Amino acid sequence: MKRLTGIGASRGVAIGKVHFIDNVVKRVECDTVVDTVLEMERFEEARLKAIEMLEELRFAQMFSAMEDAYLRERSADMIDISSRVVRLLQGEAAYDVSQIKGQIIIAAKDLLPSETIQLDRDRVLGFVTSGGSQVSHSSILARTMGIPSVIGLGDQLAELVDGDMIVLDGFNGVLIANPPDKLLKDYHCKQAEYQLYRERLQTLKGVPSRTQDGVEIEIYGNIGHPSDVDSVLANDGQGVGLFRTEFLYMEYGGIPSEQTQFEAYRSVLERMNGRRVVVRTLDLGADKAAPGISLPAEENPALGYRALRICLKEQALFKTQLRALLRAALYGHLAIMFPMVISLDEIRQAKELVEICREELEQEGIPYGDMELGIMIETPAAALLSDLFAPEVDFFSIGTNDLTQYTLAVDRMNMKVGDLYDPRNPAVLRLVQIAAESARRHGIWCGVCGESAADRRLTEHYLRMGVTELSVTPASILEMREKVLSINLSTEKEHFMSRV
């Protein structure tokens, strides 16, 4: 028996034989090209073929149902495309995980986006990787699909042999190779118990998300595509707490028109039928790029030209989105929030552009509606200045992914410092508390939309701070409702506050 320890990226237990896949990015050997024109033609053919293959996957039905995870790690897409181009140039077929036979647990260095979306839940029991992080593309997709996974095994993965019987414990980030019969039996029981738990959660549909002492909490779903509304409704979400709009720019292949954006936003609002939909305005930059929008190369893009900073500079681009949103507001309960805010001046500039767009639509005789205006609290500056920001907006939504990264000076995609990335760090929690208290004092609502919104170890902490809305992946909505129902905020409040 061998016991390997990594990071539990997706909860659950998988028991089966491990199957290694060769998805390592190929090394390109230098060679002398005689006919440069022919070589360029060959490259262009391979590039177009690779894009064609990925586009077929991108609009597959399964991909459309996978919420917004593919937007979270755009660098993986670049690796995916380059890997396919190199394989095509070398006359090799891309590894096709959909052709794997039998029920197995996949082992790989990491899973590329196009590989992850091909995983057949009936055949792929789970997956383990040597790389990755809890917020990497493959990890988020695993949670969305309900596939148990353990990542970040590093060199330990080499201790496994193709065909080994393994137990994958996604709860604790543990992998056990060739377990003894008694341990295997225990894990079969744990697996069955978790399945029964998932079935019991279905009985919570229609139940108010209310603490034992009567505090109402709104539990929303995060989405990145209009089709993701299906998952929010299927899991009884009370609204959409984070609609990432970058998908429009990435799928469109350029800058989508006002009408294209309007139709996308309207479709979500109509389907949510009066439930609040919170739209994050364009958040490009850092690890997110889009065709047709030129961004400068930066040494430190996470701290550079991104999100609202781009929108306030490229006002024509921003106004197109704002006009589309104002028009769509007629069809439901719309709220919009500005990302990466650090100053009062940025908020006022953004609000001024909204007002300019209202006036333009009025003059043009184009109907529009009202919408709530809010900001994301995802920088320490925004949290610390939240008492000044609150009078200017209708709500705060705390983006704990970036807030954690910036507060702790930890790159959330860097495995070498992955153990330091912790949204439960007291420094992060104090900033959340500052923002939530500022919101309460000024009579606006405050939510959490980062990955930690689904961390049940933090739920009571957030609620005691004054957070009244949690936005999570749709698959986590009922679990969070169960957690809220178990909390009594009328007890031990002083003890909790002293810990923070």
Side-chain angles (χ1 to χ4, degrees), residues 223 226 229 240 243 262-279 324-335 370-371:
I223 69 171
V229 172
V240 171
F243 180 9
F262 162 70
E263 291 171 359
Y265 305 143
R266 181 182 66 180
S267 69
V268 172
L269 287 161
E270 287 179 335
R271 294 212 55 210
M272 290 306 294
N273 195 27
R275 304 181 189 187
R276 182 190 278 131
V277 174
V278 182
V279 174
L325 286 165
L326 282 164
R327 291 171 56 194
L330 283 171
Y331 298 88
H333 185 173
L334 177 64
D370 293 324
M371 56 191 185

mmCIF file of all heavy atoms in Angstrom, residues 223 226 229 240 243 262-279 324-335 370-371:
data_model
loop_
_atom_site.group_PDB
_atom_site.id
_atom_site.type_symbol
_atom_site.label_atom_id
_atom_site.label_comp_id
_atom_site.label_asym_id
_atom_site.label_seq_id
_atom_site.Cartn_x
_atom_site.Cartn_y
_atom_site.Cartn_z
ATOM 1 N N ILE A 223 -22.261 32.324 -12.802
ATOM 2 C CA ILE A 223 -22.346 31.829 -14.168
ATOM 3 C C ILE A 223 -21.374 32.596 -15.059
ATOM 4 O O ILE A 223 -20.884 33.664 -14.688
ATOM 5 C CB ILE A 223 -23.779 31.930 -14.747
ATOM 6 C CG1 ILE A 223 -24.178 33.388 -14.982
ATOM 7 C CG2 ILE A 223 -24.784 31.228 -13.844
ATOM 8 C CD1 ILE A 223 -25.484 33.556 -15.749
ATOM 9 N N PRO A 226 -24.990 32.407 -20.739
ATOM 10 C CA PRO A 226 -26.437 32.352 -20.552
ATOM 11 C C PRO A 226 -26.976 30.939 -20.323
ATOM 12 O O PRO A 226 -27.935 30.748 -19.568
ATOM 13 C CB PRO A 226 -26.977 32.948 -21.861
ATOM 14 C CG PRO A 226 -25.919 33.909 -22.277
ATOM 15 C CD PRO A 226 -24.619 33.240 -21.914
ATOM 16 N N VAL A 229 -27.660 29.306 -16.743
ATOM 17 C CA VAL A 229 -28.866 29.560 -15.952
ATOM 18 C C VAL A 229 -29.589 28.250 -15.657
ATOM 19 O O VAL A 229 -30.219 28.096 -14.601
ATOM 20 C CB VAL A 229 -29.793 30.550 -16.685
ATOM 21 C CG1 VAL A 229 -31.142 30.667 -15.976
ATOM 22 C CG2 VAL A 229 -29.134 31.918 -16.753
ATOM 23 N N VAL A 240 -28.635 35.133 -9.590
ATOM 24 C CA VAL A 240 -27.277 35.018 -10.134
ATOM 25 C C VAL A 240 -26.437 36.082 -9.440
ATOM 26 O O VAL A 240 -26.736 37.273 -9.533
ATOM 27 C CB VAL A 240 -27.254 35.229 -11.660
ATOM 28 C CG1 VAL A 240 -25.825 35.326 -12.166
ATOM 29 C CG2 VAL A 240 -27.988 34.095 -12.363
ATOM 30 N N PHE A 243 -22.244 37.117 -12.833
ATOM 31 C CA PHE A 243 -22.325 36.776 -14.256
ATOM 32 C C PHE A 243 -21.103 37.395 -14.905
ATOM 33 O O PHE A 243 -21.015 38.599 -15.088
ATOM 34 C CB PHE A 243 -23.612 37.344 -14.837
ATOM 35 C CG PHE A 243 -23.821 37.070 -16.321
ATOM 36 C CD1 PHE A 243 -22.995 36.213 -17.036
ATOM 37 C CD2 PHE A 243 -24.873 37.669 -16.994
ATOM 38 C CE1 PHE A 243 -23.191 35.970 -18.387
ATOM 39 C CE2 PHE A 243 -25.088 37.436 -18.343
ATOM 40 C CZ PHE A 243 -24.239 36.593 -19.033
ATOM 41 N N PHE A 262 -26.820 42.952 -25.566
ATOM 42 C CA PHE A 262 -28.178 43.146 -25.059
ATOM 43 C C PHE A 262 -28.972 41.842 -25.069
ATOM 44 O O PHE A 262 -29.636 41.486 -24.085
ATOM 45 C CB PHE A 262 -28.887 44.213 -25.896
ATOM 46 C CG PHE A 262 -30.382 44.199 -25.776
ATOM 47 C CD1 PHE A 262 -31.006 44.585 -24.601
ATOM 48 C CD2 PHE A 262 -31.165 43.784 -26.861
ATOM 49 C CE1 PHE A 262 -32.399 44.559 -24.498
ATOM 50 C CE2 PHE A 262 -32.543 43.759 -26.767
ATOM 51 C CZ PHE A 262 -33.170 44.152 -25.577
ATOM 52 N N GLU A 263 -28.887 41.109 -26.165
ATOM 53 C CA GLU A 263 -29.644 39.865 -26.277
ATOM 54 C C GLU A 263 -29.170 38.818 -25.270
ATOM 55 O O GLU A 263 -29.974 38.070 -24.705
ATOM 56 C CB GLU A 263 -29.555 39.328 -27.708
ATOM 57 C CG GLU A 263 -30.309 40.188 -28.714
ATOM 58 C CD GLU A 263 -30.049 39.778 -30.155
ATOM 59 O OE1 GLU A 263 -29.259 38.834 -30.359
ATOM 60 O OE2 GLU A 263 -30.640 40.396 -31.060
ATOM 61 N N ALA A 264 -27.870 38.773 -25.031
ATOM 62 C CA ALA A 264 -27.335 37.817 -24.053
ATOM 63 C C ALA A 264 -27.808 38.160 -22.646
ATOM 64 O O ALA A 264 -28.258 37.287 -21.897
ATOM 65 C CB ALA A 264 -25.812 37.807 -24.120
ATOM 66 N N TYR A 265 -27.717 39.431 -22.271
ATOM 67 C CA TYR A 265 -28.128 39.840 -20.925
ATOM 68 C C TYR A 265 -29.644 39.667 -20.749
ATOM 69 O O TYR A 265 -30.103 39.213 -19.693
ATOM 70 C CB TYR A 265 -27.736 41.294 -20.661
ATOM 71 C CG TYR A 265 -26.271 41.595 -20.879
ATOM 72 C CD1 TYR A 265 -25.842 42.803 -21.419
ATOM 73 C CD2 TYR A 265 -25.290 40.660 -20.554
ATOM 74 C CE1 TYR A 265 -24.501 43.083 -21.613
ATOM 75 C CE2 TYR A 265 -23.942 40.925 -20.753
ATOM 76 C CZ TYR A 265 -23.557 42.139 -21.298
ATOM 77 O OH TYR A 265 -22.227 42.393 -21.507
ATOM 78 N N ARG A 266 -30.399 40.037 -21.778
ATOM 79 C CA ARG A 266 -31.855 39.899 -21.688
ATOM 80 C C ARG A 266 -32.260 38.449 -21.499
ATOM 81 O O ARG A 266 -33.164 38.149 -20.708
ATOM 82 C CB ARG A 266 -32.523 40.463 -22.955
ATOM 83 C CG ARG A 266 -34.044 40.370 -22.919
ATOM 84 C CD ARG A 266 -34.683 40.883 -24.186
ATOM 85 N NE ARG A 266 -34.354 40.028 -25.323
ATOM 86 C CZ ARG A 266 -34.773 40.242 -26.568
ATOM 87 N NH1 ARG A 266 -35.529 41.310 -26.834
ATOM 88 N NH2 ARG A 266 -34.435 39.434 -27.548
ATOM 89 N N SER A 267 -31.590 37.529 -22.199
ATOM 90 C CA SER A 267 -31.961 36.110 -22.102
ATOM 91 C C SER A 267 -31.792 35.589 -20.676
ATOM 92 O O SER A 267 -32.613 34.814 -20.184
ATOM 93 C CB SER A 267 -31.121 35.271 -23.072
ATOM 94 O OG SER A 267 -29.759 35.214 -22.670
ATOM 95 N N VAL A 268 -30.740 36.038 -20.003
ATOM 96 C CA VAL A 268 -30.516 35.603 -18.619
ATOM 97 C C VAL A 268 -31.575 36.203 -17.695
ATOM 98 O O VAL A 268 -32.170 35.509 -16.866
ATOM 99 C CB VAL A 268 -29.106 35.995 -18.144
ATOM 100 C CG1 VAL A 268 -28.936 35.723 -16.653
ATOM 101 C CG2 VAL A 268 -28.049 35.235 -18.935
ATOM 102 N N LEU A 269 -31.837 37.478 -17.847
ATOM 103 C CA LEU A 269 -32.827 38.145 -17.000
ATOM 104 C C LEU A 269 -34.215 37.549 -17.176
ATOM 105 O O LEU A 269 -34.944 37.336 -16.202
ATOM 106 C CB LEU A 269 -32.848 39.637 -17.311
ATOM 107 C CG LEU A 269 -31.644 40.428 -16.792
ATOM 108 C CD1 LEU A 269 -31.520 41.760 -17.517
ATOM 109 C CD2 LEU A 269 -31.770 40.651 -15.293
ATOM 110 N N GLU A 270 -34.600 37.282 -18.401
ATOM 111 C CA GLU A 270 -35.919 36.697 -18.651
ATOM 112 C C GLU A 270 -36.041 35.316 -18.036
ATOM 113 O O GLU A 270 -37.068 34.978 -17.434
ATOM 114 C CB GLU A 270 -36.189 36.635 -20.156
ATOM 115 C CG GLU A 270 -36.468 38.000 -20.771
ATOM 116 C CD GLU A 270 -36.720 37.928 -22.267
ATOM 117 O OE1 GLU A 270 -36.235 36.976 -22.917
ATOM 118 O OE2 GLU A 270 -37.403 38.826 -22.793
ATOM 119 N N ARG A 271 -35.006 34.520 -18.157
ATOM 120 C CA ARG A 271 -35.056 33.159 -17.607
ATOM 121 C C ARG A 271 -35.053 33.166 -16.080
ATOM 122 O O ARG A 271 -35.639 32.284 -15.454
ATOM 123 C CB ARG A 271 -33.892 32.335 -18.128
ATOM 124 C CG ARG A 271 -33.970 32.077 -19.641
ATOM 125 C CD ARG A 271 -33.388 30.760 -20.017
ATOM 126 N NE ARG A 271 -34.001 29.675 -19.282
ATOM 127 C CZ ARG A 271 -33.391 28.544 -18.951
ATOM 128 N NH1 ARG A 271 -32.140 28.363 -19.299
ATOM 129 N NH2 ARG A 271 -34.007 27.610 -18.302
ATOM 130 N N MET A 272 -34.413 34.142 -15.487
ATOM 131 C CA MET A 272 -34.404 34.225 -14.021
ATOM 132 C C MET A 272 -35.704 34.794 -13.466
ATOM 133 O O MET A 272 -35.948 34.753 -12.267
ATOM 134 C CB MET A 272 -33.208 35.055 -13.550
ATOM 135 C CG MET A 272 -31.858 34.370 -13.760
ATOM 136 S SD MET A 272 -31.743 32.722 -13.029
ATOM 137 C CE MET A 272 -31.843 33.094 -11.283
ATOM 138 N N ASN A 273 -36.535 35.328 -14.331
ATOM 139 C CA ASN A 273 -37.922 35.660 -13.998
ATOM 140 C C ASN A 273 -38.055 36.508 -12.725
ATOM 141 O O ASN A 273 -38.779 36.164 -11.783
ATOM 142 C CB ASN A 273 -38.742 34.370 -13.846
ATOM 143 C CG ASN A 273 -40.241 34.625 -13.861
ATOM 144 O OD1 ASN A 273 -40.701 35.598 -14.456
ATOM 145 N ND2 ASN A 273 -40.997 33.766 -13.200
ATOM 146 N N GLY A 274 -37.362 37.629 -12.704
ATOM 147 C CA GLY A 274 -37.501 38.551 -11.589
ATOM 148 C C GLY A 274 -36.497 38.362 -10.476
ATOM 149 O O GLY A 274 -36.399 39.203 -9.565
ATOM 150 N N ARG A 275 -35.742 37.270 -10.492
ATOM 151 C CA ARG A 275 -34.704 37.086 -9.487
ATOM 152 C C ARG A 275 -33.496 37.947 -9.860
ATOM 153 O O ARG A 275 -33.193 38.121 -11.027
ATOM 154 C CB ARG A 275 -34.281 35.611 -9.413
ATOM 155 C CG ARG A 275 -35.432 34.660 -9.138
ATOM 156 C CD ARG A 275 -34.953 33.224 -9.062
ATOM 157 N NE ARG A 275 -36.077 32.290 -9.014
ATOM 158 C CZ ARG A 275 -35.950 30.989 -8.804
ATOM 159 N NH1 ARG A 275 -34.751 30.461 -8.636
ATOM 160 N NH2 ARG A 275 -37.017 30.199 -8.765
ATOM 161 N N ARG A 276 -32.815 38.432 -8.852
ATOM 162 C CA ARG A 276 -31.710 39.353 -9.114
ATOM 163 C C ARG A 276 -30.595 38.687 -9.920
ATOM 164 O O ARG A 276 -30.191 37.557 -9.643
ATOM 165 C CB ARG A 276 -31.136 39.890 -7.801
ATOM 166 C CG ARG A 276 -30.005 40.896 -8.016
ATOM 167 C CD ARG A 276 -29.304 41.218 -6.719
ATOM 168 N NE ARG A 276 -30.010 42.227 -5.940
ATOM 169 C CZ ARG A 276 -30.297 42.117 -4.648
ATOM 170 N NH1 ARG A 276 -29.970 41.019 -3.998
ATOM 171 N NH2 ARG A 276 -30.919 43.084 -4.013
ATOM 172 N N VAL A 277 -30.078 39.405 -10.913
ATOM 173 C CA VAL A 277 -28.926 38.964 -11.700
ATOM 174 C C VAL A 277 -27.846 40.030 -11.567
ATOM 175 O O VAL A 277 -28.042 41.177 -11.954
ATOM 176 C CB VAL A 277 -29.292 38.774 -13.191
ATOM 177 C CG1 VAL A 277 -28.037 38.470 -14.013
ATOM 178 C CG2 VAL A 277 -30.329 37.671 -13.359
ATOM 179 N N VAL A 278 -26.713 39.640 -10.972
ATOM 180 C CA VAL A 278 -25.605 40.574 -10.781
ATOM 181 C C VAL A 278 -24.574 40.341 -11.884
ATOM 182 O O VAL A 278 -23.985 39.262 -11.978
ATOM 183 C CB VAL A 278 -24.940 40.391 -9.405
ATOM 184 C CG1 VAL A 278 -23.813 41.414 -9.227
ATOM 185 C CG2 VAL A 278 -25.971 40.524 -8.287
ATOM 186 N N VAL A 279 -24.379 41.335 -12.707
ATOM 187 C CA VAL A 279 -23.455 41.254 -13.828
ATOM 188 C C VAL A 279 -22.162 41.991 -13.483
ATOM 189 O O VAL A 279 -22.200 43.152 -13.070
ATOM 190 C CB VAL A 279 -24.074 41.879 -15.099
ATOM 191 C CG1 VAL A 279 -23.046 41.917 -16.232
ATOM 192 C CG2 VAL A 279 -25.312 41.090 -15.535
ATOM 193 N N ALA A 324 -25.970 48.329 -23.444
ATOM 194 C CA ALA A 324 -26.634 47.027 -23.566
ATOM 195 C C ALA A 324 -27.259 46.605 -22.239
ATOM 196 O O ALA A 324 -28.376 46.070 -22.198
ATOM 197 C CB ALA A 324 -25.636 45.980 -24.045
ATOM 198 N N LEU A 325 -26.550 46.862 -21.156
ATOM 199 C CA LEU A 325 -27.057 46.491 -19.831
ATOM 200 C C LEU A 325 -28.274 47.334 -19.451
ATOM 201 O O LEU A 325 -29.261 46.800 -18.916
ATOM 202 C CB LEU A 325 -25.946 46.660 -18.788
ATOM 203 C CG LEU A 325 -24.847 45.603 -18.829
ATOM 204 C CD1 LEU A 325 -23.624 46.053 -18.037
ATOM 205 C CD2 LEU A 325 -25.364 44.264 -18.285
ATOM 206 N N LEU A 326 -28.219 48.630 -19.707
ATOM 207 C CA LEU A 326 -29.363 49.485 -19.405
ATOM 208 C C LEU A 326 -30.601 49.055 -20.181
ATOM 209 O O LEU A 326 -31.717 49.012 -19.635
ATOM 210 C CB LEU A 326 -29.013 50.942 -19.733
ATOM 211 C CG LEU A 326 -28.138 51.668 -18.704
ATOM 212 C CD1 LEU A 326 -27.545 52.935 -19.303
ATOM 213 C CD2 LEU A 326 -28.951 52.000 -17.456
ATOM 214 N N ARG A 327 -30.434 48.699 -21.421
ATOM 215 C CA ARG A 327 -31.568 48.228 -22.231
ATOM 216 C C ARG A 327 -32.110 46.906 -21.695
ATOM 217 O O ARG A 327 -33.324 46.689 -21.625
ATOM 218 C CB ARG A 327 -31.138 48.066 -23.690
ATOM 219 C CG ARG A 327 -30.843 49.379 -24.399
ATOM 220 C CD ARG A 327 -30.212 49.123 -25.764
ATOM 221 N NE ARG A 327 -31.059 48.259 -26.587
ATOM 222 C CZ ARG A 327 -30.645 47.657 -27.706
ATOM 223 N NH1 ARG A 327 -29.381 47.815 -28.101
ATOM 224 N NH2 ARG A 327 -31.480 46.907 -28.394
ATOM 225 N N ALA A 328 -31.216 46.032 -21.292
ATOM 226 C CA ALA A 328 -31.633 44.718 -20.786
ATOM 227 C C ALA A 328 -32.333 44.835 -19.435
ATOM 228 O O ALA A 328 -33.138 43.955 -19.072
ATOM 229 C CB ALA A 328 -30.419 43.804 -20.668
ATOM 230 N N ALA A 329 -32.053 45.905 -18.701
ATOM 231 C CA ALA A 329 -32.626 46.066 -17.354
ATOM 232 C C ALA A 329 -34.149 46.115 -17.360
ATOM 233 O O ALA A 329 -34.791 45.904 -16.326
ATOM 234 C CB ALA A 329 -32.058 47.322 -16.700
ATOM 235 N N LEU A 330 -34.738 46.355 -18.496
ATOM 236 C CA LEU A 330 -36.194 46.352 -18.610
ATOM 237 C C LEU A 330 -36.795 44.961 -18.408
ATOM 238 O O LEU A 330 -37.980 44.821 -18.127
ATOM 239 C CB LEU A 330 -36.615 46.862 -20.003
ATOM 240 C CG LEU A 330 -36.565 48.368 -20.254
ATOM 241 C CD1 LEU A 330 -36.805 48.645 -21.737
ATOM 242 C CD2 LEU A 330 -37.631 49.068 -19.404
ATOM 243 N N TYR A 331 -35.976 43.930 -18.521
ATOM 244 C CA TYR A 331 -36.488 42.560 -18.578
ATOM 245 C C TYR A 331 -36.260 41.757 -17.298
ATOM 246 O O TYR A 331 -36.452 40.550 -17.281
ATOM 247 C CB TYR A 331 -35.864 41.828 -19.768
ATOM 248 C CG TYR A 331 -36.220 42.482 -21.079
ATOM 249 C CD1 TYR A 331 -35.437 43.512 -21.601
ATOM 250 C CD2 TYR A 331 -37.363 42.112 -21.782
ATOM 251 C CE1 TYR A 331 -35.769 44.139 -22.795
ATOM 252 C CE2 TYR A 331 -37.716 42.737 -22.971
ATOM 253 C CZ TYR A 331 -36.913 43.749 -23.464
ATOM 254 O OH TYR A 331 -37.262 44.376 -24.643
ATOM 255 N N GLY A 332 -35.895 42.441 -16.224
ATOM 256 C CA GLY A 332 -35.704 41.714 -14.978
ATOM 257 C C GLY A 332 -35.038 42.575 -13.928
ATOM 258 O O GLY A 332 -34.922 43.801 -14.070
ATOM 259 N N HIS A 333 -34.588 41.922 -12.870
ATOM 260 C CA HIS A 333 -33.933 42.605 -11.751
ATOM 261 C C HIS A 333 -32.422 42.568 -11.981
ATOM 262 O O HIS A 333 -31.772 41.578 -11.684
ATOM 263 C CB HIS A 333 -34.301 41.894 -10.441
ATOM 264 C CG HIS A 333 -33.773 42.587 -9.224
ATOM 265 N ND1 HIS A 333 -34.110 42.194 -7.950
ATOM 266 C CD2 HIS A 333 -32.933 43.656 -9.069
ATOM 267 C CE1 HIS A 333 -33.494 42.969 -7.078
ATOM 268 N NE2 HIS A 333 -32.783 43.856 -7.735
ATOM 269 N N LEU A 334 -31.897 43.651 -12.498
ATOM 270 C CA LEU A 334 -30.484 43.697 -12.880
ATOM 271 C C LEU A 334 -29.676 44.520 -11.897
ATOM 272 O O LEU A 334 -30.101 45.596 -11.451
ATOM 273 C CB LEU A 334 -30.335 44.289 -14.281
ATOM 274 C CG LEU A 334 -28.899 44.478 -14.795
ATOM 275 C CD1 LEU A 334 -28.188 43.139 -14.939
ATOM 276 C CD2 LEU A 334 -28.900 45.207 -16.145
ATOM 277 N N ALA A 335 -28.510 44.012 -11.564
ATOM 278 C CA ALA A 335 -27.521 44.761 -10.799
ATOM 279 C C ALA A 335 -26.197 44.603 -11.526
ATOM 280 O O ALA A 335 -25.900 43.539 -12.067
ATOM 281 C CB ALA A 335 -27.412 44.218 -9.367
ATOM 282 N N ASP A 370 -33.983 50.560 -14.917
ATOM 283 C CA ASP A 370 -33.133 50.894 -13.777
ATOM 284 C C ASP A 370 -32.342 49.670 -13.351
ATOM 285 O O ASP A 370 -32.776 48.527 -13.528
ATOM 286 C CB ASP A 370 -33.984 51.373 -12.597
ATOM 287 C CG ASP A 370 -34.663 52.708 -12.895
ATOM 288 O OD1 ASP A 370 -34.032 53.536 -13.575
ATOM 289 O OD2 ASP A 370 -35.805 52.893 -12.445
ATOM 290 N N MET A 371 -31.189 49.900 -12.743
ATOM 291 C CA MET A 371 -30.385 48.789 -12.245
ATOM 292 C C MET A 371 -29.589 49.245 -11.028
ATOM 293 O O MET A 371 -29.245 50.419 -10.895
ATOM 294 C CB MET A 371 -29.447 48.262 -13.334
ATOM 295 C CG MET A 371 -28.511 49.280 -13.945
ATOM 296 S SD MET A 371 -27.697 48.624 -15.425
ATOM 297 C CE MET A 371 -26.571 49.979 -15.812
#
